[in-house]
């Protein structure tokens, strides 16, 4: 509140106005006066008074109107009605419409001073209360804001935890599935080998006992040889499976080592194509190459990537068909693409197939044996060269795998070639 409380005195008797003004000024109030109801209404509209003392009956109007004008413009201003005995009833009416108090004229000086002082105190408390309420409301809003941002953060953290939990659960599920697939994959060649070896052993025993049976010794020897070849092929398969497992373990423990040198990817692709063509009669593997597609890379590991992509291209196009390896220079590096016309890959799996243990839930893919490691290993190898590997598919039209390698491995100078 201002230093000097502002008081307005309204009464149509000049003498009353002057007296009250003198008394209140002595008490330290800043006092304005008027004898007209119209002017009083104007004054209370134009400026804020702490307290308004108004006669009820004015020559040019009604004190109640002044009171209403105050209420309308500055509801915190305290109003006191001045009234004669005759209009006590009107004074009560004034109280009902919001006047703080009333004084009966002529009033005692002390009564006037104490009523005005009480009114001013009431105004001070009212304003203080209002300020507190505003402060409380602001604090409340801040608490509400904090609360909602806290809730938001809790929700975010919960969602993140949930997602992580789901990922872990999925990884766990894939691990158990992997164990059962891996045991099956390892067991199959061993069962085959054990069967063939038993038969071969029986034959050799008979031969060494001199019992050729109905077969001449040359024929029996030929049969044993064929069986041993099957066993040999199975050991190769077993070794490849175990190599994949070892690779994953090396990648995960950071023990994979690269030996860098210049590698002509066109030549490497030709070699891989030639070797892989020996494993299939229903697919035609061709290489389209641009000369000079040379990068600094680990030859054996990049060969492993190409082997894996071509093996998959064969495996996942069970009906046979063309497989094209495209090698070209691109963006200062080299891009190799392997395209088949097999079963294709659903869009939503194009990224997940590079995950550890990932095997498609799709029936056609499931029919093929595999442990879900090949693409994971390939991606790790390519990434560590600073390259990128990704897949495209047009549904039943087949799949294309792309490998982009920088001219030299990104992320530091490669060690000298060996
Ligand atoms: P695996 O072949 O042992 O399952 P990979 O990591 O090599 O493991 O491949 C992961 C999955 O990606 C496969 O199970 C298969 O669903 C899908 N996939 C890979 N290559 C192809 C391809 N050329 N055509 C269709 N699907 C493929």
């Amino acid at each position: 509140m201002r230093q000097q409380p502002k008081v307005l005195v309204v009464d149509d008797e000049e003498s009353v106005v002057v007296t009250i003004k003198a008394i209140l000024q002595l008490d330290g109030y800043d006092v304005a006066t008027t004898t007209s109801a119209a002017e009083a209404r104007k004054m209370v509209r134009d400026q804020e008074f702490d307290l308004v003392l108004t006669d009820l009956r004015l020559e040019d109007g009604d004190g109640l109107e002044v009171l209403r004008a105050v209420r309308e413009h500055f509801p915190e201003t305290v109003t006191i009605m001045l009234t004669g005995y005759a209009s006590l009833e009107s004074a009560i009416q004034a109280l009902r419409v919001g006047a703080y108090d009333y004084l009966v004229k002529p009033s005692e000086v002390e009564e006037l001073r104490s009523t005005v002082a009480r009114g001013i105190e009431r105004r001070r408390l009212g304003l203080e209360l209002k300020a507190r309420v505003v402060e409380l409301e602001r604090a409340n809003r801040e608490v509400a804001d904090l609360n909602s941002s806290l809730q938001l953060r809790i929700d975010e953290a919960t969602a993140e935890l949930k997602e992580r939990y789901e990922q872990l659960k999925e990884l766990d599920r894939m691990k158990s599935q992997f164990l059962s697939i891996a045991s099956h994959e390892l067991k199959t060649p061993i069962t085959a080998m054990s069967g063939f070896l038993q038969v071969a052993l029986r034959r050799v025993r008979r031969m060494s006992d001199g019992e050729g049976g109905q077969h001449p010794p040359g024929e029996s020897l030929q049969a044993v040889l064929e069986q041993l070849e099957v066993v040999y092929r199975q050991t190769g398969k077993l070794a490849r499976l175990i190599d994949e497992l070892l690779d994953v373990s090396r990648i995960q423990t950071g023990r994979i080592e690269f030996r860098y040198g210049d590698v002509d990817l066109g030549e490497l692709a030709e070699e891989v194509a030639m070797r892989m063509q020996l494993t299939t009669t229903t697919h035609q593997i061709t290489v389209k190459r641009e000369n000079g597609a040379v990068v600094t890379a680990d030859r054996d590991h990049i060969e492993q990537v190409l082997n894996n992509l071509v093996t998959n291209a064969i495996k996942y196009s069970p009906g046979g068909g063309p497989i094209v390896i495209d090698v070209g220079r691109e963006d200062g590096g080299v891009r190799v693409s392997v395209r088949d016309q097999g079963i294709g890959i659903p869009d939503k799996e194009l990224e997940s197939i590079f995950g550890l243990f990932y095997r498609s839930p799709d029936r056609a893919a499931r029919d093929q044996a595999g442990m879900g490691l090949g693409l994971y290993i390939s991606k790790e190898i390519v990434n560590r060269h600073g390259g990128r590997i990704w897949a495209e598919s047009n549904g039943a039209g087949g799949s294309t795998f792309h490998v982009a390698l920088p001219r030299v491995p990104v992320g530091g100078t490669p060690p000298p070639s060996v």
Side-chain angles (χ1 to χ4, degrees):
M1 204 187 294
R2 289 171 294 264
Q3 249 7 45
Q4 247 191 326
K6 280 180 82 174
V7 176
L8 173 66
V9 181
V10 188
D11 199 304
D12 48 9
E13 277 178 61
E14 187 73 43
S15 59
V16 173
V17 166
V18 171
T19 320
I20 295 181
K21 180 175 180 174
I23 295 168
L24 295 183
Q25 269 177 338
L26 274 179
D27 278 348
Y29 300 111
D30 171 9
V31 185
T33 60
T34 176
T35 50
S36 141
E39 197 185 335
R41 283 202 304 274
K42 186 174 173 319
M43 287 170 86
V44 300
R45 220 176 30 234
D46 292 349
Q47 54 179 312
E48 182 170 13
F49 289 96
D50 293 301
L51 186 138
V52 175
L53 258 170
T54 177
D55 191 6
L56 203 52
R57 298 239 162 85
L58 294 155
E59 251 168 34
D60 65 339
D62 190 340
L64 286 176
E65 281 168 26
V66 178
L67 184 87
R68 274 191 208 103
V70 172
R71 299 244 86 186
E72 188 186 332
H73 297 288
F74 298 102
E76 299 303 322
T77 297
V78 169
T79 46
I80 295 173
M81 303 304 298
L82 292 168
T83 174
Y85 278 118
S87 45
L88 201 55
E89 226 170 85
S90 322
I92 290 165
Q93 189 193 343
L95 290 183
R96 281 210 188 100
V97 292
Y100 167 66
D101 208 344
Y102 71 90
L103 283 167
V104 179
K105 287 194 290 188
S107 55
E108 297 277 336
V109 171
E110 282 315 308
E111 199 188 357
L112 169 72
R113 291 178 59 208
S114 67
T115 306
V116 169
R118 263 205 326 274
I120 291 291
E121 178 63 5
R122 149 73 217 275
R123 152 107 170 151
R124 193 182 63 77
L125 290 175
L127 285 179
E128 223 166 69
L129 191 69
K130 198 176 161 196
R132 284 282 154 79
V133 168
V134 168
E135 219 170 82
L136 271 178
E137 275 172 357
R138 207 196 51 233
N140 244 338
R141 268 198 309 276
E142 273 172 16
V143 169
D145 284 355
L146 272 178
N147 243 341
S148 65
S149 80
L150 197 65
Q151 187 62 45
L152 207 74
R153 273 201 252 156
I154 290 175
D155 287 351
E156 272 170 16
T158 314
E160 213 176 292
L161 273 177
K162 236 163 117 182
E163 197 185 314
R164 186 87 197 102
Y165 172 69
E166 290 303 326
Q167 281 172 353
L168 283 176
K169 233 168 69 181
E170 176 65 5
L171 199 65
D172 209 45
R173 190 190 63 73
M174 283 161 96
K175 259 188 182 159
S176 338
Q177 182 192 309
F178 164 75
L179 278 180
S180 89
I181 292 175
S183 340
H184 175 78
E185 291 284 314
L186 294 172
K187 183 95 182 143
T188 312
I190 288 182
T191 311
M193 278 158 44
S194 152
F196 279 113
L197 281 175
Q198 270 176 36
V199 178
L201 271 174
R202 216 178 300 142
R203 281 226 166 86
V204 174
R205 259 194 221 111
R206 280 208 213 114
M207 283 163 65
S208 85
D209 291 349
E211 311 169 12
Q214 313 103 336
H215 305 291
E219 247 175 61
S220 294
L221 198 60
Q222 183 59 32
V224 170
L225 265 177
E226 277 165 19
Q227 274 151 359
L228 286 179
E229 259 159 29
V230 174
V231 170
Y232 178 65
R233 276 204 298 279
Q234 294 292 335
T235 56
K237 190 171 172 195
L238 205 52
R240 275 195 302 281
L241 289 176
I242 290 169
D243 276 345
E244 273 197 344
L245 287 172
L246 282 174
D247 275 336
V248 170
S249 145
R250 277 193 209 108
I251 286 168
Q252 300 222 311
T253 53
R255 279 186 294 114
I256 192 162
E257 277 175 19
F258 289 150
R259 291 153 169 262
Y260 291 96
D262 277 350
V263 183
D264 185 323
L265 287 174
E267 273 172 22
L268 186 62
E270 300 266 18
E271 256 177 55
V272 169
M274 214 174 345
R275 197 163 5 88
M276 296 304 288
Q277 187 64 74
L278 299 176
T279 68
T280 173
T281 48
T282 50
H283 301 85
Q284 305 81 46
I285 309 176
T286 51
V287 177
K288 286 204 255 168
R289 56 179 283 206
E290 198 178 323
N291 283 333
V294 178
V295 292
T296 303
D298 179 305
R299 191 178 201 283
D300 290 349
H301 280 105
I302 296 299
E303 183 174 349
Q304 190 182 349
V305 172
L306 293 187
N307 264 335
N308 183 33
L309 295 183
V310 179
T311 307
N312 278 352
I314 295 173
K315 196 160 84 171
Y316 295 107
S317 44
I323 292 169
V324 181
I325 311 177
D326 217 319
V327 183
R329 278 177 292 170
E330 194 182 271
D331 296 338
V334 170
R335 154 108 72 113
V336 183
S337 306
V338 179
R339 190 168 67 243
D340 64 51
Q341 293 185 4
I343 61 170
I345 302 164
D347 277 355
K348 62 176 189 308
E349 290 181 48
L350 284 173
E351 290 201 13
S352 27
I353 51 173
F354 294 96
L356 184 57
F357 307 139
Y358 187 86
R359 300 225 66 219
S360 172
D362 200 79
R363 264 304 305 275
R366 277 285 152 125
D367 284 347
Q368 306 304 320
M371 294 194 287
L373 302 180
L375 288 180
Y376 168 78
I377 296 169
S378 302
K379 184 173 180 156
E380 288 294 323
I381 292 172
V382 173
N383 281 352
R384 283 174 198 221
H385 279 79
R388 214 158 68 79
I389 181 169
W390 70 101
E392 278 172 7
S393 175
N394 47 350
S399 320
T400 309
F401 282 79
H402 303 277
V403 174
L405 289 173
R407 172 69 192 85
V408 287
V410 179
T413 329
S417 347
V418 278

